[in-house]
Amino acid sequence: MLKMLLSNVNAILDKIATINIKLLGEFMDAAKYIWMNGEFVAWDDAKVHVLSHTLHYGNGVIEGTKAYKTEKGYAIFRLNDHTKRLLESAKMTLIDIPYTVEELNAAQIELIKKNEFSGDNVYIRPFAFLGYGVMGVYHKDAPVETVLAAWEWGAYLGEEGLRKGIRLKIASMTRPANTSNMGKAKATANYLNSQMAKFEAIDCGYDEALLLDDQGYIAEASGACFFMVKDGELISPPNDNSLASITQKMVIEMAEDMGMKVTRRRITREEVYVADEAFLTGTAAEITPVAVVDAREIGSGSRGPITEKIQSTYFDIVFGRNKQYEHYLTYID
């Protein structure tokens, strides 16, 4: 009885430690400045009113962009694509951002310069939300606030996850159908679904959640896209019910240039269980191997050879070591 009790206590402590490590890994390091509505303000002074419209009704749009420390200094990966998607998300959700792509690009470059970062990775979070002044669901007259923040941030799912792979749990909830929300918008309200799915996954001892669509096919992870490998073929779901991912697009381009067969089609959960390899992609997730899905080992249960090849090629690109794709980098002078 005592042995069993100690075993249960140890299991609980291990679970708490795992959750704490995951939570600590997502805390951000404060930088010097945040860009707000055209002005640079001190990090601690970037504040909003508690009655800001988005805080109550959830209509805001976000982006995730990343800068890497190359031999030539910091370079932002696919800056223009991310900024363009921010403005497209805003248009979808009826938020009128009063800045052009060019203006926001220039502000992000200046933000990196002013913060004088020194680490290998800098995460950039452009976003827009509805501020203080109007209450009620109808938001037309609510003021639009546009913000750019940046901070040093390591591997989203852990350095060990990049090397050995992570554990995925298919969530009990599905990604909302296209008839009930605007899934193509990178909108803040859409991420409540992701939050609940990821909490469930971590609470069950996994690292990340994988969501199905309303038809039962693989949609995406809580904050990343999904790929699997079967018999040398790289397969990823269509973006029918998921965000159109810039990193996903990059991986497809890379793989095709390597001569791999790439297919976009619906994927069932059963196919995932018997895949040879699997990995997630995203600005924060980068290329993260998947070792386990729902207690089933994927392939060898660790990073597979094709995943490793794609991962190493991706990091060569973002760190400026691959001249073929250097046009995707915006260097910070």
Side-chain angles (χ1 to χ4, degrees), residues 219-221 223-227 236-237 239 242-245 248 279-282:
E220 59 185 358
C225 285
F226 179 82
F227 281 86
S236 190
N239 294 127
S242 64
L243 183 72
S245 166
Q248 180 187 43
F279 59 90
L280 302 181
T281 65

Side-chain angles (χ1 to χ4, degrees), residues 45 51 164 188 196 253:
D45 293 333
L51 294 180
K164 297 182 179 180
T188 57
M196 297 300 100
E253 181 181 341

Side-chain angles (χ1 to χ4, degrees), residues 165-169 201 204-209 289-295:
I166 62 167
R167 294 166 51 83
L168 279 184
K169 180 186 185 300
C204 291
Y206 291 80
D207 302 301
E208 177 60 282
V290 173
V292 173
V293 178
D294 290 348

Side-chain angles (χ1 to χ4, degrees), residues 228 230-235 255-256 258-263:
M228 74 176 199
K230 186 67 174 179
D231 298 327
E233 180 183 3
L234 190 61
I235 307 167
E256 289 178 340
M258 293 175 191
M260 294 183 192
K261 181 181 179 182
V262 181
T263 302

Side-chain angles (χ1 to χ4, degrees), residues 48 51-63 86-97 126-132 134-147 181-192 195:
V48 297
L51 294 180
S52 293
H53 196 279
T54 296
L55 191 60
H56 296 261
Y57 299 105
N59 189 3
V61 292
I62 60 174
E63 259 309 318
L86 177 75
L87 292 176
E88 288 177 347
S89 293
K91 185 175 183 178
M92 293 175 195
T93 55
L94 295 168
I95 294 176
D96 186 15
I97 295 178
F127 61 105
F129 63 96
L130 302 174
Y132 168 76
V134 172
M135 191 55 70
V137 173
Y138 186 61
H139 75 280
K140 184 178 183 298
D141 296 323
V144 175
E145 307 280 349
T146 311
V147 183
N181 79 336
M182 286 180 284
K184 291 293 183 294
K186 198 170 174 67
T188 57
N190 290 342
Y191 282 87
L192 177 59
Q195 288 178 51

Side-chain angles (χ1 to χ4, degrees), residues 82-265:
H82 284 97
T83 306
K84 181 180 177 183
R85 189 172 64 178
L86 177 75
L87 292 176
E88 288 177 347
S89 293
K91 185 175 183 178
M92 293 175 195
T93 55
L94 295 168
I95 294 176
D96 186 15
I97 295 178
Y99 299 97
T100 64
V101 169
E102 293 74 21
E103 288 171 331
L104 292 172
N105 285 348
Q108 289 172 80
I109 292 170
E110 187 62 26
L111 181 67
I112 299 296
K113 289 181 181 179
K114 287 184 71 68
N115 275 305
E116 300 177 323
F117 295 112
S118 60
D120 288 339
N121 301 281
V122 174
Y123 187 80
I124 308 169
R125 170 49 56 88
F127 61 105
F129 63 96
L130 302 174
Y132 168 76
V134 172
M135 191 55 70
V137 173
Y138 186 61
H139 75 280
K140 184 178 183 298
D141 296 323
V144 175
E145 307 280 349
T146 311
V147 183
L148 306 170
W151 62 92
E152 293 185 19
W153 201 8
Y156 177 61
L157 292 166
E159 294 292 342
E160 186 173 347
L162 288 176
R163 292 191 305 271
K164 297 182 179 180
I166 62 167
R167 294 166 51 83
L168 279 184
K169 180 186 185 300
I170 294 180
S172 62
M173 67 198 71
T174 63
R175 197 179 194 279
N178 291 331
T179 53
S180 57
N181 79 336
M182 286 180 284
K184 291 293 183 294
K186 198 170 174 67
T188 57
N190 290 342
Y191 282 87
L192 177 59
N193 183 247
S194 296
Q195 288 178 51
M196 297 300 100
K198 182 151 187 172
F199 192 100
E200 174 188 304
I202 291 177
D203 193 53
C204 291
Y206 291 80
D207 302 301
E208 177 60 282
L210 187 62
L211 290 99
L212 305 178
D213 65 19
D214 60 315
Q215 300 298 310
Y217 295 96
I218 302 298
E220 59 185 358
S222 71
C225 285
F226 179 82
F227 281 86
M228 74 176 199
V229 179
K230 186 67 174 179
D231 298 327
E233 180 183 3
L234 190 61
I235 307 167
S236 190
N239 294 127
D240 294 344
N241 191 13
S242 64
L243 183 72
S245 166
I246 294 167
T247 313
Q248 180 187 43
K249 186 177 179 180
M250 184 75 251
V251 167
I252 291 170
E253 181 181 341
M254 288 161 39
E256 289 178 340
D257 288 346
M258 293 175 191
M260 294 183 192
K261 181 181 179 182
V262 181
T263 302
R264 303 291 304 279
R265 66 166 176 81

